[in-house]
Amino acid sequence: MKLTPDAAGTFAIAPTPFHHDGKIDETSIDRLTDFYAEVGCEGVTVLGILGEAPKLDAAEAEAVAVRFVKRAKAMQVIVGVSAPGFATMRALARASMEAGAAGVMIAPPPSLRTDEQITGYFRQAVEAIGDDIPWVLQDYPLTLSVVMTPDVIRRIVMENPSCVMLKHEDWPGLEKITRLREFQKDGSLRPLSILTGNGGLFLDFEMERGADGAMTGYCFPDMLVDVVKLSKAGQRDLAHNLFDAHLPLIRYEQQQGVGLAVRKYVLKKRGIIASSAQRKPGSVLSETAREEVDYLLSRLARIDKRADLELRSSAAE
Amino acid sequence: MKLTPDAAGTFAIAPTPFHHDGKIDETSIDRLTDFYAEVGCEGVTVLGILGEAPKLDAAEAEAVAVRFVKRAKAMQVIVGVSAPGFATMRALARASMEAGAAGVMIAPPPSLRTDEQITGYFRQAVEAIGDDIPWVLQDYPLTLSVVMTPDVIRRIVMENPSCVMLKHEDWPGLEKITRLREFQKDGSLRPLSILTGNGGLFLDFEMERGADGAMTGYCFPDMLVDVVKLSKAGQRDLAHNLFDAHLPLIRYEQQQGVGLAVRKYVLKKRGIIASSAQRKPGSVLSETAREEVDYLLSRLARIDKRADLELRSSAAE
Amino acid sequence: MKLTPDAAGTFAIAPTPFHHDGKIDETSIDRLTDFYAEVGCEGVTVLGILGEAPKLDAAEAEAVAVRFVKRAKAMQVIVGVSAPGFATMRALARASMEAGAAGVMIAPPPSLRTDEQITGYFRQAVEAIGDDIPWVLQDYPLTLSVVMTPDVIRRIVMENPSCVMLKHEDWPGLEKITRLREFQKDGSLRPLSILTGNGGLFLDFEMERGADGAMTGYCFPDMLVDVVKLSKAGQRDLAHNLFDAHLPLIRYEQQQGVGLAVRKYVLKKRGIIASSAQRKPGSVLSETAREEVDYLLSRLARIDKRADLELRSSAAE
Amino acid sequence: MKLTPDAAGTFAIAPTPFHHDGKIDETSIDRLTDFYAEVGCEGVTVLGILGEAPKLDAAEAEAVAVRFVKRAKAMQVIVGVSAPGFATMRALARASMEAGAAGVMIAPPPSLRTDEQITGYFRQAVEAIGDDIPWVLQDYPLTLSVVMTPDVIRRIVMENPSCVMLKHEDWPGLEKITRLREFQKDGSLRPLSILTGNGGLFLDFEMERGADGAMTGYCFPDMLVDVVKLSKAGQRDLAHNLFDAHLPLIRYEQQQGVGLAVRKYVLKKRGIIASSAQRKPGSVLSETAREEVDYLLSRLARIDKRADLELRSSAAE
């Protein structure tokens, strides 16, 4: 089932699991996919920036994408296809769609500056992959250094009918969501799914501003699922209560470089992936950092039992 | 009293209060200074990046610095003197010290790249201001795009005896604090005060890693004072409890551009500054954003009574 | 006489002459100004990026601007007023105009990214200095990292009637001149003077594309004057012959950091400024570099006698 | 024959020839390779930044590298293997060497800032490709924004015995060559071949500073070969005479974005490649720009007959 502007809910950004020797861990891919389905994710996004995608060669990237797609069953899989050149982007996009992916995600290359360069780039990208592939526009200035105004996003969406979703992770970005939803009210922007990233750091208010859900890699996607649902059900206080309990850990995971290490450490502790190894150049948690994460988990567990990992953890060592 | 490597506690980063017409609001400077003293700050840092320093002309900058210094009495005042050129830096540094400032703060210009360029810059800066002025090294890569390794910081500190403090706001930065403290244990780095910034987002763990205190502009410096004290007293859980209650607001204030508007909005609500106006180019809070901050304050007030601002707020309108 | 869109010819970018001890050399300012007038410059631009403007404090900057203006007589003086904040910009702009400057020049701060941010910045700048001051828009992406499309330049010019000139130094930029002139032909852009910078490296073709003249600091402004005139007179081959003879030196002066040192070295050799000293942080020519420049001058002197500096040089040592 | 620190002379940076439809033009690869051999190049560097390497997918990149290697016979072929991740880098490096390449070239990724990050990156890169592959360190700050001091280059070279050559294109860079040669004189740096890039813009003086030759893509590699030889033979004036005649065109080709279009245009005019097409996103020469290049060629032809392309050109249309 292909991605549409109606997409909503929680799309987990999946890390790529590796063995200690750097080989791809396919068994963990399967378990991770099953886990996302069990906790209620509507989709999975693979080979994103935090999925260590650039560290895979072309054949590996395709193999990882296909493995996730095959296992995902009912869940939609979005494949990150950002690449320095269109030939590579096209090859991965078409292979992923043939395998059954729901859509692809494209980030702008860091060299783009002007509004014209940005809109021109996405026109060419769509020409390259083909206009039959639904795609997600990734708006992530903090990491990519490309700044897209609401106007520019509207132009991209209106010029490219196959663009069906915005991965919103501008920072600050709350007013941007409001502005885009206003564009839709005044009829100048067609329907567009908006899922939010930034590690979930602003998910509580993003939902209230009009986001359709979350697309991020926080190590408790189960919490993302709950907050998205509570918020949509108008349970403002309950949504914030749960969110705030997780915020100290969300915040800790937000540290660039360290974030992925925390994420893999917790997913391993939760028994979902076999190893927290990253491919080089990667980051590792110091013993002090691991103790800090454990402390945050123990504090979180007083409110959210899913964070009570001590037994499982010691068993997993 | 001049700044020394023994400096510790909480140094508030002061915003510069303006009237609605953009004029400097000197009465609010006085009230703000008194407020910082009342809540237990050891010092105040003025004309920092969030103090809208570049928007003042040279005469205004000096006037603001002097006003804070005169009012501060027992508190130490640090004056941000970063400038595109050394002549301007020197002029403000010497005028501030003559007025009674405790020291100055210097950030590296964004163009610096190599270790050599960075260490060379600070050598020249010290030559320019004179080596009799104690100064704070600002390490803020996220905004300044200048990355200093622990080794480079050590070189700067060891080459310049008048450098007595590090304003630490690398992100991630916990391991950096640990590393610098290890340098001191192995004797390769002399005593150095480390106060942490980043809006307080990691203050809980920064204290545990060995920071001497906080230097940041969060709108509840009273909380910073408490967390620093609790942490130093070894009250880990209590420190985290208080910190976590404030974290949703700290996080909200963390949004670049929006942060200063939130800060001034809350300080005005607390009755400390008369107007939340910024000089152009400035940011303003939308009505929705103000409602969000109010909601965060109301949630915080359930735990920290100092956030219960409704009466005062309505009185202040 | 205030600057108008009819401005044309050669505007020399003046270096700021210093004594060896870093003090401003006012006698050399006078001689330099006279020199520019003697060789036929229509104007002088002071306190530009290569004028070491950020190294002056506010009082010095004003003094330098006024000194040039007073001495310039018939020549128009443009004062660079780019500053991190509008208060400083306004102060220098108004003081310069009162002293008799023809206009001011404003460059965008490096942090600007989107078309909206750029056009918004110049609206605010004009509001700050007052809309009665004619100003030059500086378009210099290589150094400032702000990219303005022809469309954005048109928007800025049309929104701000006091913008009368473009200092064009985009690189590559030939098509940009062509595009702007097309805008004028189709009536969508009002009259605008275009003077070109980039050290003169493309002056030959820039004139043919429709530039009104040169605004740059090459150490032989006399050559710029001649090439501008020859080109306007339709003497294509003669213009290129003269230009090509200077190109090896123009190219050598183009090296960032080294450029200003070469420029001051040659101006000193020509007997125009007393010292080639720069304020810190500055660059110095190695002995080998000086020998290379001398060699280039000797080669140039075979074609352009003005480069035959040996006698004057030895006298000046 | 593998690359050694004794490598010298001219290594042409080859463009990748495409057909109008974007397919790789293998016949033109062969003709281009033969041409480089005929004019006296010692080597060819393929898949460099100007070789549109990022626009090829992995299979195409390998095919292009192998095609050049097979055709090159006596000439050494260096393959650019810079990639966002080590898996891709390793795959292309090992495939190229197996096919008979002389070595590979590695540029630092733009995100690197500190000396430690830079030296660490190259250690990991060598670990990834294997320490049996001779490689060229590319130092190109203007495009890559990574600044390496002479000290850092020395550290990289001394830590990685398989690094045998520096592609020098820092700008300004003359003093850097001098400094590295001094390191060798004082024994702190082992033998290292230094070939210079930057489109040849400073080749005249780079040779005099101690470079071993040129590695750049100027459309007259025959001129590079001659200048390198004349300079080594101590024929200073003759080297400069020839160089200066080409400088107006070298300078024109230097325009970023336009450069490759000029290069392919002239190579096509010279009858060497069949089409000047670039893969998207590419640049095209306007009619005016083509006329300008033709004018520069006609002026050059008065001195260097190899630039007299009119007959050949009209035949090739």
Side-chain angles (χ1 to χ4, degrees), chain B residues 112-135:
Chain B
L112 303 180
R113 282 289 167 272
T114 69
D115 293 3
E116 246 173 61
Q117 288 171 343
I118 297 167
T119 54
Y121 178 81
F122 285 104
R123 264 196 308 273
Q124 292 191 313
V126 170
E127 201 186 301
I129 64 169
D131 59 12
D132 56 329
I133 299 184
W135 61 282

Side-chain angles (χ1 to χ4, degrees), chain D residues 220-239:
Chain D
F220 285 87
D222 9 15
M223 182 281 286
L224 302 175
V225 168
D226 292 348
V227 168
V228 166
K229 282 185 185 157
L230 285 168
S231 193
K232 284 188 180 171
Q235 303 275 19
R236 190 183 202 190
D237 290 345
L238 291 182

Side-chain angles (χ1 to χ4, degrees), chain C residues 6-192:
Chain C
D6 295 329
T10 297
F11 280 62
I13 298 270
T16 303
F18 295 104
H19 290 291
H20 279 293
D21 62 3
K23 292 228 179 69
I24 292 160
D25 175 358
E26 295 172 342
T27 313
S28 288
I29 289 183
D30 293 348
R31 212 174 327 157
L32 190 57
T33 314
D34 296 348
F35 166 71
Y36 291 138
E38 284 158 22
V39 300
C41 291
E42 273 74 14
V44 183
T45 303
V46 304
L47 302 179
I49 294 173
L50 273 179
E52 300 179 69
K55 298 180 192 169
L56 307 183
D57 69 26
E60 291 174 326
E62 190 180 321
V64 165
V66 170
R67 184 102 192 178
F68 272 108
V69 167
K70 296 299 180 201
R71 187 81 180 188
K73 292 168 205 144
M75 280 190 307
Q76 294 189 305
V77 173
I78 297 170
V79 179
V81 297
S82 305
F86 291 136
T88 304
M89 184 186 291
R90 175 186 166 82
L92 183 56
R94 301 223 63 96
S96 301
M97 294 308 290
E98 266 164 47
V104 302
M105 183 161 75
I106 307 175
S111 57
L112 303 180
R113 282 288 167 273
T114 69
D115 293 1
E116 246 174 62
Q117 289 171 342
I118 297 168
T119 54
Y121 178 81
F122 285 103
R123 262 195 309 274
Q124 292 190 312
V126 170
E127 201 186 301
I129 63 169
D131 59 11
D132 55 329
I133 299 184
W135 60 282
V136 181
L137 171 63
Q138 187 172 16
D139 180 22
Y140 194 11
L142 203 66
T143 291
L144 301 169
S145 85
V146 177
V147 184
M148 300 189 240
T149 59
D151 274 9
V152 163
I153 291 172
R154 178 171 55 181
R155 269 175 64 189
I156 295 168
V157 173
M158 297 310 280
E159 284 176 9
N160 301 285
S162 55
C163 177
V164 297
M165 185 187 279
L166 175 71
K167 178 169 192 216
H168 166 280
E169 40 196 339
D170 197 354
W171 190 0
L174 295 175
E175 299 299 335
K176 199 176 218 173
I177 299 174
T178 298
R179 192 92 192 88
L180 290 169
R181 291 311 188 201
E182 284 170 1
F183 285 163
Q184 293 180 317
K185 272 175 217 149
D186 73 22
S188 65
L189 177 65
R190 61 173 173 74
L192 177 75

